[in-house]
Amino acid sequence: MAFCRLLFPLLVLSVASASTVPVFLWGDLSSSSGNSLKSNPLSTVSAQGFSEILNNELKDDPYVIVFLEETLSVEDFSRKNNEGDISIPYLYDNLSDALYLPSVEDASRVLEEVAKGAVHIKLTQNGLSAAIEDKNNRFMFIALKDAMEGESRYDLLRRHSNFMEDQISKLEKKGDVIAVYTARNPSWTIPDTHSRVRRQANSSVTNGPDYSLDGLRLYLTGVTLDHSNASVTFTNYAGGSSEYNTTTGVLNGTLNFDQGSLTLNFHRAAGYWFFDTVHFVQTNPAVDEILYATDDLNALLDFSYRCKQSVSFKSINETQEYKVSFIDIKVQPFFGPTNASTPFGDSFNCVGFFSAPIWSGLFVVFILLSITFYGIMTMMDIKTMDRFDDPKGKTITINAGE
Amino acid sequence: MRYFLSYLFVLLVGLAIPIFSLYYVLNGKGEQISLGWFLENTSPYMWGTLGIAFSVALSVVGAAMGIHTTGVSIVGGGVKAPRIKTKNLISVIFCEAVAIYGLITAIVLSGMLEKYSEPFTSVSVKQQNWMAGYVMFGAGLAVGLVNLFCGIAVGIVGSGAALADAANAALFVKILIVEIFGSAIGLFGLIVGIYMTSKVKMGNQ
């Protein structure tokens, strides 16, 4: 579950980072680019390419004002309202000295990198957060965040077009001015798959994932057979049967598929049930093999087995190896009458609360702690000889012979 | 304070164990508390190294307690009867011998600790490694415990010998015989430990 929560933001991020936005530059552009690179509709400009283009434009150190929409796409430039008016007429007027790149990766990030000492202001419903004229920097970012509720896209773009026209006209006295109109994210995204492909209809297993028989509850998402490097999925479940003996504790359940029939053999011993073998019978070509479990499959009597993704049974005969794998299996034999609504017992997940390493750790720590506390207790028990201690008397002196 | 700590410990253990056991038993999962599963799934490295640790640690504890007891008596008795000090060093040497037994066993066991690689080529390799772990644990524990009690015993006897010697010099030699018997039991432990380790074979074969 945690994995899902982690995956979704990663997917969103990957989609967001792979998206491109159009960039419209106009103003006093360098004359070289004005002639050669009008527009490049057929390819996406990479972030590095855009950075080079920007550095080329900005080598005369003009004043740059960047209008950042929240979202923008190529479709917005050709959007019209019901009367047929275009949404961003100001840009159409400036088409002659403009550079239009319809698809740029990471445009806003590259702009931030190229801009040194940029000032960021916002246009909200209350107006500009700061006036443009009284700043001494060469870069200005205006984030256009004044979308009103219920406003159509056309109205929003029209309003921004008028706003840009106002701002640019106020900046004539700054000298060379280059304006950039772009956004952080595209406004129109097309999900890129989901095209239907006609396929040969795969006849699905009619009984779904629940293959319960009388005396056996079984849940599978699929069964595959691997034989001589070919893998085949069992399809078209045609019903099954089972026989069991409650006193001896044996149960055999048979599942019939198109590709053959599988008989699952269980037995019960010492408070556990065991899934021993699978008997695979096929008529065309004739196969009759008993397959043994690759690792022991057992659980306590009232528990269902739900451990691995797939459980496989292999034949011992190595010349013609057959391997049947049950995908996503949950199984519990009851050795008595059941029906499809008999609930599974608690599931045995092959992982306990305390694992063996935890136990060994606890064991060793217990030993060490007991040693420590025993040592402390014995040290507290040490009594030195104080019979002859006399704080007021003469200290004993012993004359050592010279 | 020590009584308080022991009672607290016993109380905690007495609460934790029934709660865990009853949880498993009352949920029908009693089989999952399995000592066999624990023994089979714990690593032989743990058992082997625990054995080595026990053999040297417990032997040294025994020797230390013995030397403490006898040393204190020698020092005390030697105040009034300085002649005892040289002869009674034998008691200290007997106590130290048990520490040496433990050290020898630990060195021998350490030499037998080998690495093995996990996907076992055959079941017998795994069985051998597991048995090696258990045998090393058993040998180490045996030697350690034997030397622990031997050291304590020799120490107490040595202490008595020193004080008796201080009172009457003729007594010392006879009391020394008691000490020799005490020391022999430490030797028994060493013999059993070394004998068990001959079965140990760890590694990939």
Side-chain angles (χ1 to χ4, degrees):
Chain A
M1 190 57 199
F3 178 68
C4 296
R5 287 182 214 265
L6 186 60
L7 194 58
F8 184 68
L10 280 178
L11 279 174
V12 169
L13 278 175
S14 65
V15 166
S17 60
S19 57
T20 62
V21 289
V23 175
F24 197 98
L25 290 114
W26 74 101
D28 302 312
L29 297 172
S30 310
S31 52
S32 58
S33 72
N35 290 330
S36 61
L37 191 62
K38 274 288 185 194
S39 171
N40 195 357
L42 295 178
S43 62
T44 301
V45 180
S46 67
Q48 191 184 353
F50 182 54
S51 167
E52 279 166 31
I53 293 174
L54 270 183
N55 286 329
N56 199 18
E57 294 309 319
L58 304 176
K59 60 177 187 281
D60 297 335
D61 198 20
Y63 180 84
V64 180
I65 180 164
V66 179
F67 297 96
L68 274 176
E69 286 272 7
E70 289 294 294
T71 56
L72 188 69
S73 280
V74 174
E75 284 74 13
D76 290 327
F77 287 102
S78 54
R79 188 181 287 271
K80 294 187 163 74
N81 70 351
N82 292 336
E83 276 85 36
D85 298 330
I86 43 181
S87 55
I88 319 183
Y90 176 60
L91 297 184
Y92 273 75
D93 295 342
N94 281 319
L95 207 52
S96 52
D97 40 340
L99 170 62
Y100 174 55
L101 304 165
S103 177
V104 176
E105 281 179 9
D106 263 356
S108 53
R109 181 180 65 80
V110 171
L111 282 167
E112 307 270 356
E113 278 173 9
V114 170
K116 295 171 190 48
V119 173
H120 291 72
I121 61 180
K122 271 198 294 230
L123 173 71
T124 57
Q125 294 183 9
N126 304 329
L128 272 177
S129 58
I132 296 186
E133 295 85 84
D134 34 345
K135 306 271 194 238
N136 284 337
N137 49 301
R138 301 305 284 171
F139 255 87
M140 169 81 65
F141 280 80
I142 303 184
L144 304 169
K145 291 186 185 205
D146 62 339
M148 295 196 285
E149 260 186 325
E151 186 186 46
S152 72
R153 182 94 179 141
Y154 170 83
D155 288 343
L156 173 81
L157 293 173
R158 196 62 193 254
R159 199 177 64 241
H160 286 170
S161 169
N162 295 338
F163 171 75
M164 287 194 287
E165 191 167 0
D166 285 349
Q167 298 303 321
I168 299 290
S169 59
K170 288 183 199 158
L171 288 172
E172 303 305 334
K173 59 179 176 304
K174 294 266 187 178
D176 282 356
V177 172
I178 288 186
V180 181
Y181 181 56
T182 180
R184 297 192 197 281
N185 296 311
S187 62
W188 176 272
T189 51
I190 303 175
D192 50 351
T193 48
H194 310 293
S195 56
R196 292 193 72 102
V197 172
R198 279 182 191 274
R199 291 183 225 271
Q200 173 82 17
N202 223 351
S203 47
S204 56
V205 233
T206 50
N207 225 20
D210 193 336
Y211 292 80
S212 299
L213 305 168
D214 185 24
L216 173 73
R217 288 268 1 245
L218 179 62
Y219 173 99
L220 288 175
T221 53
V223 192
T224 59
L225 168 73
D226 292 312
H227 168 57
S228 55
N229 299 338
S231 184
V232 148
T233 309
F234 282 79
T235 55
N236 267 346
Y237 176 61
S241 61
S242 71
E243 52 179 14
Y244 54 83
N245 188 332
T246 313
T247 41
T248 60
V250 167
L251 183 137
N252 300 319
T254 307
L255 306 168
N256 299 312
F257 293 94
D258 258 357
Q259 287 82 356
S261 78
L262 293 170
T263 305
L264 318 172
N265 306 312
F266 300 83
H267 85 273
R268 170 186 75 197
Y272 285 83
W273 60 259
F274 298 84
F275 188 173
D276 313 303
T277 57
V278 169
H279 189 189
F280 172 54
V281 174
Q282 195 181 44
T283 45
N284 183 17
V287 176
D288 190 333
E289 289 276 337
I290 295 195
L291 311 170
Y292 297 86
T294 43
D295 26 41
D296 285 340
L297 209 159
N298 53 42
L300 292 166
L301 259 186
D302 288 327
F303 283 68
S304 55
Y305 180 88
R306 173 81 164 149
C307 285
K308 300 204 254 300
Q309 282 278 36
S310 75
V311 166
S312 47
F313 287 78
K314 277 162 78 150
S315 59
I316 303 238
N317 177 3
E318 270 136 28
T319 52
Q320 305 216 57
E321 200 180 74
Y322 289 89
K323 180 168 134 170
V324 167
S325 304
F326 297 95
I327 317 288
D328 231 2
I329 183 174
K330 179 165 162 124
V331 62
Q332 182 177 2
F334 284 85
F335 303 104
T338 61
N339 54 33
S341 59
T342 310
F344 275 104
D346 282 341
S347 68
F348 172 58
N349 292 112
C350 301
V351 49
F353 185 69
F354 285 122
S355 64
I358 294 179
W359 277 123
S360 25
L362 284 173
F363 177 55
V364 171
V365 166
F366 174 74
I367 290 175
L368 292 177
L369 282 179
S370 59
I371 290 173
T372 304
F373 285 112
Y374 174 71
I376 291 177
M377 286 201 318
T378 50
M379 279 200 279
M380 281 164 46
D381 269 350
I382 293 177
K383 291 190 239 323
T384 50
M385 173 57 78
D386 57 1
R387 177 192 286 269
F388 301 111
D389 283 348
D390 184 11
K392 295 191 189 53
K394 200 165 62 112
T395 51
I396 300 179
T397 54
I398 299 176
N399 272 331
E402 294 290 338
Chain B
M1 159 106 126
R2 86 176 91 130
Y3 295 122
F4 168 70
L5 279 178
S6 340
Y7 290 154
L8 183 66
F9 175 70
V10 167
L11 180 72
L12 284 175
V13 168
L15 272 180
I17 291 185
I19 288 180
F20 276 114
S21 315
L22 279 181
Y23 168 75
Y24 276 96
V25 169
L26 293 177
N27 274 339
K29 301 191 218 184
E31 279 277 346
Q32 290 185 9
I33 304 181
S34 173
L35 192 59
W37 166 83
F38 173 66
L39 286 175
E40 197 181 322
N41 286 326
T42 47
S43 159
Y45 293 137
M46 176 188 96
W47 296 113
T49 49
L50 268 183
I52 295 169
F54 277 136
S55 75
V56 69
L58 294 175
S59 312
V60 167
V61 169
M65 287 168 85
I67 293 179
H68 167 254
T69 317
T70 194
V72 162
S73 298
I74 295 174
V75 165
V79 172
K80 285 293 186 130
R83 62 181 158 76
I84 68 169
K85 58 184 187 304
T86 320
K87 255 202 302 191
N88 281 277
L89 285 179
I90 282 190
S91 309
V92 177
I93 290 175
F94 275 128
C95 282
E96 211 224 334
V98 303
I100 292 186
Y101 298 157
L103 180 67
I104 292 173
T105 311
I107 290 178
V108 166
L109 287 175
S110 299
M112 297 182 168
L113 204 54
E114 295 272 346
K115 198 166 76 107
Y116 61 86
S117 51
E118 232 341 275
F120 290 107
T121 47
S122 71
V123 174
S124 63
V125 173
K126 173 173 174 171
Q127 287 171 344
Q128 225 166 48
N129 279 308
W130 257 246
M131 179 167 132
Y134 297 139
V135 168
M136 288 166 73
F137 178 71
L141 192 65
V143 170
L145 285 176
V146 164
N147 288 331
L148 172 69
F149 297 116
C150 171
I152 295 176
V154 169
I156 296 179
V157 174
S159 153
L163 297 175
D165 188 22
N168 180 352
L171 292 173
F172 181 70
V173 177
K174 295 292 194 266
I175 294 180
L176 206 57
I177 296 180
V178 181
E179 260 191 74
I180 291 172
F181 276 109
S183 189
I185 60 177
L187 207 55
F188 297 161
L190 177 68
I191 291 171
V192 167
I194 297 292
Y195 203 50
M196 280 171 89
T197 57
S198 65
K199 303 269 185 301
V200 169
K201 197 154 94 79
M202 268 187 112
N204 279 331
Q205 275 77 26

